[in-house]
Amino acid sequence: MKRKKRHLIQAAAAILQNGYLAGFFTGGIYRGDGKHICVPGLNCYSCPGALGACPIGSIQAVIGGNSRDFSYYVMGLILLFGVLVGRVVCGFLCPFGFIQDLLAKIRSPKPHIPDKLDRVLRWNKFIMLAAVIFLPMLITDALGLGTPFFCKYFCPAGTLEGGIPLVIADEGLRDAIGLLFFWKVSVLVAVIISSILIYRPFCKYFCPLGALYGLLNRISFFQLHVDNHKCINCGACERTCKMGVKVTENINSIECIRCGECRNVCPVHAITITSLASKQAASKIKDAKHSS
Amino acid sequence: MKGLKIAMYGVLALSLILITVGIVIGEPGDVASKATFVCMECIGIG
């Protein structure tokens, strides 16, 4: 799939998930039945346009509430999205991923992150994932309510999609702005600037949802496959991959956001989309193992 | 390969079980009750 087509799908997904346009003018949020369901990507439910609930926000809200210790429903939905398509969600459906894709298009020097530092930083998203699940359980206030650590102190999507539009539209909220808001805007500015310089830094280093979907990439129905009989080892796929995936070695890596750029540049069409469920895919992967 | 397929169907089954359990205990209502109000902490006012 060509890059333009992917961006069109990303734009459509962002609009579909944030289709309550009235909210942007009134400073209110959508309160309908859609909020019973979590969307697959990171999309703050306090965004005035949000028609569904953010899975990370929901998991923290449910675990942090005083009635439940674990969020079966939200975790089940995340696992379902992940096992069906893995990080296709990151490449095609996540509005914050789309914003980072657009920011990366701004012409600027693109510094190379040293490989060692890059490898260490990538573990950070798993720390974030652990924090999302465990901190609201472990750190509670006098009423037994957990703090939504990730949403409160870090999530730049919440600030961009929820905080800023609501503060612009609602005078009462403007009066309530304090230190926390300035901290969150600073995090957002840092993420925006780094997204211009580095491709998808939030997805690579911080996103707990990307971490979970990444873990499921290897066992999702959606799989990419490199045909070793066709591959001429030209390296075009690895040079074009902005997520730093070693395509010929591990195409279904945790880091692959399934954008399909490697498929686009392969001169011999050695990269194909398959399903782990199909018998054909099984034999393909078996063949690839034998020949390598 | 077989192991990957077993893991895939295992996670699929687990996800469906978790969703079902969540629905039975009324968790979607919990999610909606949180998500239909502005999360002040999430937007940086809290």
mmCIF file of all heavy atoms in Angstrom, chain A residues 24-27 48 160 162-174 177 181, chain B residues 45:
data_model
loop_
_atom_site.group_PDB
_atom_site.id
_atom_site.type_symbol
_atom_site.label_atom_id
_atom_site.label_comp_id
_atom_site.label_asym_id
_atom_site.label_seq_id
_atom_site.Cartn_x
_atom_site.Cartn_y
_atom_site.Cartn_z
ATOM 1 N N PHE A 24 -16.176 20.513 19.910
ATOM 2 C CA PHE A 24 -15.082 21.470 19.751
ATOM 3 C C PHE A 24 -15.574 22.923 19.882
ATOM 4 O O PHE A 24 -14.812 23.808 20.218
ATOM 5 C CB PHE A 24 -14.393 21.281 18.387
ATOM 6 C CG PHE A 24 -13.603 20.004 18.304
ATOM 7 C CD1 PHE A 24 -14.120 18.885 17.667
ATOM 8 C CD2 PHE A 24 -12.353 19.910 18.888
ATOM 9 C CE1 PHE A 24 -13.395 17.699 17.596
ATOM 10 C CE2 PHE A 24 -11.616 18.736 18.832
ATOM 11 C CZ PHE A 24 -12.145 17.632 18.179
ATOM 12 N N PHE A 25 -16.856 23.125 19.581
ATOM 13 C CA PHE A 25 -17.405 24.486 19.653
ATOM 14 C C PHE A 25 -18.024 24.781 21.023
ATOM 15 O O PHE A 25 -17.952 25.907 21.514
ATOM 16 C CB PHE A 25 -18.450 24.694 18.546
ATOM 17 C CG PHE A 25 -17.867 24.484 17.172
ATOM 18 C CD1 PHE A 25 -18.120 23.328 16.459
ATOM 19 C CD2 PHE A 25 -17.018 25.438 16.611
ATOM 20 C CE1 PHE A 25 -17.560 23.115 15.206
ATOM 21 C CE2 PHE A 25 -16.450 25.243 15.370
ATOM 22 C CZ PHE A 25 -16.723 24.080 14.656
ATOM 23 N N THR A 26 -18.631 23.743 21.616
ATOM 24 C CA THR A 26 -19.326 23.985 22.887
ATOM 25 C C THR A 26 -18.416 23.778 24.102
ATOM 26 O O THR A 26 -18.748 24.204 25.205
ATOM 27 C CB THR A 26 -20.532 23.028 23.026
ATOM 28 O OG1 THR A 26 -20.033 21.683 22.974
ATOM 29 C CG2 THR A 26 -21.548 23.235 21.914
ATOM 30 N N GLY A 27 -17.301 23.084 23.907
ATOM 31 C CA GLY A 27 -16.410 22.807 25.037
ATOM 32 C C GLY A 27 -16.913 21.647 25.893
ATOM 33 O O GLY A 27 -16.427 21.434 26.997
ATOM 34 N N PRO A 48 -12.949 16.642 22.906
ATOM 35 C CA PRO A 48 -14.349 17.017 22.652
ATOM 36 C C PRO A 48 -15.002 16.203 21.529
ATOM 37 O O PRO A 48 -16.216 15.998 21.544
ATOM 38 C CB PRO A 48 -14.236 18.495 22.244
ATOM 39 C CG PRO A 48 -12.955 18.964 22.807
ATOM 40 C CD PRO A 48 -12.037 17.792 22.827
ATOM 41 N N LEU A 160 -3.085 17.315 23.882
ATOM 42 C CA LEU A 160 -3.333 17.840 22.537
ATOM 43 C C LEU A 160 -4.803 17.720 22.132
ATOM 44 O O LEU A 160 -5.402 18.669 21.617
ATOM 45 C CB LEU A 160 -2.443 17.093 21.524
ATOM 46 C CG LEU A 160 -2.571 17.539 20.073
ATOM 47 C CD1 LEU A 160 -1.998 18.934 19.883
ATOM 48 C CD2 LEU A 160 -1.854 16.566 19.138
ATOM 49 N N GLY A 162 -7.481 16.671 24.178
ATOM 50 C CA GLY A 162 -8.472 17.027 25.180
ATOM 51 C C GLY A 162 -8.198 18.362 25.846
ATOM 52 O O GLY A 162 -9.030 19.277 25.806
ATOM 53 N N GLY A 163 -7.026 18.474 26.463
ATOM 54 C CA GLY A 163 -6.708 19.645 27.272
ATOM 55 C C GLY A 163 -6.796 20.957 26.513
ATOM 56 O O GLY A 163 -7.553 21.862 26.893
ATOM 57 N N ILE A 164 -6.043 21.061 25.426
ATOM 58 C CA ILE A 164 -5.967 22.350 24.714
ATOM 59 C C ILE A 164 -7.327 22.747 24.103
ATOM 60 O O ILE A 164 -7.788 23.871 24.328
ATOM 61 C CB ILE A 164 -4.813 22.331 23.689
ATOM 62 C CG1 ILE A 164 -3.473 22.281 24.462
ATOM 63 C CG2 ILE A 164 -4.856 23.541 22.757
ATOM 64 C CD1 ILE A 164 -2.244 22.100 23.616
ATOM 65 N N PRO A 165 -8.014 21.856 23.369
ATOM 66 C CA PRO A 165 -9.323 22.267 22.820
ATOM 67 C C PRO A 165 -10.333 22.662 23.897
ATOM 68 O O PRO A 165 -11.077 23.637 23.733
ATOM 69 C CB PRO A 165 -9.816 21.027 22.064
ATOM 70 C CG PRO A 165 -8.611 20.214 21.814
ATOM 71 C CD PRO A 165 -7.645 20.506 22.916
ATOM 72 N N LEU A 166 -10.345 21.922 25.019
ATOM 73 C CA LEU A 166 -11.317 22.246 26.075
ATOM 74 C C LEU A 166 -10.978 23.561 26.759
ATOM 75 O O LEU A 166 -11.880 24.348 27.081
ATOM 76 C CB LEU A 166 -11.382 21.111 27.109
ATOM 77 C CG LEU A 166 -12.097 19.833 26.650
ATOM 78 C CD1 LEU A 166 -11.976 18.738 27.696
ATOM 79 C CD2 LEU A 166 -13.578 20.103 26.353
ATOM 80 N N VAL A 167 -9.697 23.803 26.974
ATOM 81 C CA VAL A 167 -9.287 25.054 27.620
ATOM 82 C C VAL A 167 -9.600 26.246 26.707
ATOM 83 O O VAL A 167 -10.015 27.311 27.177
ATOM 84 C CB VAL A 167 -7.779 24.984 27.995
ATOM 85 C CG1 VAL A 167 -7.203 26.359 28.250
ATOM 86 C CG2 VAL A 167 -7.601 24.103 29.226
ATOM 87 N N ILE A 168 -9.447 26.045 25.397
ATOM 88 C CA ILE A 168 -9.773 27.130 24.457
ATOM 89 C C ILE A 168 -11.279 27.414 24.489
ATOM 90 O O ILE A 168 -11.714 28.568 24.511
ATOM 91 C CB ILE A 168 -9.314 26.767 23.021
ATOM 92 C CG1 ILE A 168 -7.777 26.791 22.962
ATOM 93 C CG2 ILE A 168 -9.907 27.718 21.976
ATOM 94 C CD1 ILE A 168 -7.196 26.237 21.672
ATOM 95 N N ALA A 169 -12.083 26.323 24.527
ATOM 96 C CA ALA A 169 -13.534 26.502 24.414
ATOM 97 C C ALA A 169 -14.223 26.857 25.729
ATOM 98 O O ALA A 169 -15.326 27.393 25.720
ATOM 99 C CB ALA A 169 -14.157 25.227 23.830
ATOM 100 N N ASP A 170 -13.606 26.563 26.867
ATOM 101 C CA ASP A 170 -14.290 26.722 28.148
ATOM 102 C C ASP A 170 -13.543 27.711 29.061
ATOM 103 O O ASP A 170 -12.425 27.435 29.515
ATOM 104 C CB ASP A 170 -14.401 25.341 28.831
ATOM 105 C CG ASP A 170 -15.267 25.360 30.078
ATOM 106 O OD1 ASP A 170 -15.218 26.364 30.813
ATOM 107 O OD2 ASP A 170 -15.975 24.368 30.312
ATOM 108 N N GLU A 171 -14.201 28.821 29.340
ATOM 109 C CA GLU A 171 -13.562 29.870 30.145
ATOM 110 C C GLU A 171 -13.301 29.394 31.582
ATOM 111 O O GLU A 171 -12.265 29.725 32.184
ATOM 112 C CB GLU A 171 -14.464 31.106 30.170
ATOM 113 C CG GLU A 171 -13.697 32.376 30.441
ATOM 114 C CD GLU A 171 -14.625 33.578 30.520
ATOM 115 O OE1 GLU A 171 -15.593 33.638 29.741
ATOM 116 O OE2 GLU A 171 -14.367 34.445 31.369
ATOM 117 N N GLY A 172 -14.209 28.589 32.102
ATOM 118 C CA GLY A 172 -14.066 28.076 33.471
ATOM 119 C C GLY A 172 -12.798 27.239 33.612
ATOM 120 O O GLY A 172 -12.090 27.320 34.610
ATOM 121 N N LEU A 173 -12.534 26.412 32.587
ATOM 122 C CA LEU A 173 -11.328 25.580 32.620
ATOM 123 C C LEU A 173 -10.071 26.439 32.508
ATOM 124 O O LEU A 173 -9.053 26.136 33.121
ATOM 125 C CB LEU A 173 -11.358 24.548 31.479
ATOM 126 C CG LEU A 173 -12.326 23.373 31.638
ATOM 127 C CD1 LEU A 173 -12.285 22.485 30.407
ATOM 128 C CD2 LEU A 173 -11.994 22.562 32.880
ATOM 129 N N ARG A 174 -10.195 27.512 31.736
ATOM 130 C CA ARG A 174 -9.028 28.416 31.585
ATOM 131 C C ARG A 174 -8.625 28.983 32.945
ATOM 132 O O ARG A 174 -7.447 29.110 33.253
ATOM 133 C CB ARG A 174 -9.356 29.564 30.629
ATOM 134 C CG ARG A 174 -9.078 29.228 29.177
ATOM 135 C CD ARG A 174 -8.865 30.480 28.346
ATOM 136 N NE ARG A 174 -10.033 31.333 28.254
ATOM 137 C CZ ARG A 174 -11.078 31.130 27.448
ATOM 138 N NH1 ARG A 174 -11.088 30.066 26.664
ATOM 139 N NH2 ARG A 174 -12.095 31.964 27.421
ATOM 140 N N ILE A 177 -6.470 26.528 35.194
ATOM 141 C CA ILE A 177 -5.144 26.075 34.753
ATOM 142 C C ILE A 177 -4.121 26.277 35.869
ATOM 143 O O ILE A 177 -4.111 27.309 36.535
ATOM 144 C CB ILE A 177 -4.699 26.871 33.495
ATOM 145 C CG1 ILE A 177 -5.433 26.356 32.274
ATOM 146 C CG2 ILE A 177 -3.204 26.779 33.277
ATOM 147 C CD1 ILE A 177 -5.142 27.163 31.032
ATOM 148 N N PHE A 181 -1.001 21.660 34.219
ATOM 149 C CA PHE A 181 -1.286 21.931 32.807
ATOM 150 C C PHE A 181 -0.007 22.375 32.085
ATOM 151 O O PHE A 181 0.272 21.918 30.974
ATOM 152 C CB PHE A 181 -2.373 23.000 32.679
ATOM 153 C CG PHE A 181 -2.839 23.211 31.269
ATOM 154 C CD1 PHE A 181 -3.724 22.315 30.671
ATOM 155 C CD2 PHE A 181 -2.387 24.281 30.518
ATOM 156 C CE1 PHE A 181 -4.147 22.500 29.359
ATOM 157 C CE2 PHE A 181 -2.808 24.473 29.213
ATOM 158 C CZ PHE A 181 -3.696 23.575 28.643
ATOM 159 N N ILE B 45 -5.693 19.392 34.400
ATOM 160 C CA ILE B 45 -6.285 20.288 35.410
ATOM 161 C C ILE B 45 -6.775 19.395 36.542
ATOM 162 O O ILE B 45 -7.817 18.777 36.451
ATOM 163 C CB ILE B 45 -7.453 21.107 34.805
ATOM 164 C CG1 ILE B 45 -6.904 21.975 33.686
ATOM 165 C CG2 ILE B 45 -8.125 21.958 35.879
ATOM 166 C CD1 ILE B 45 -7.944 22.593 32.815
#
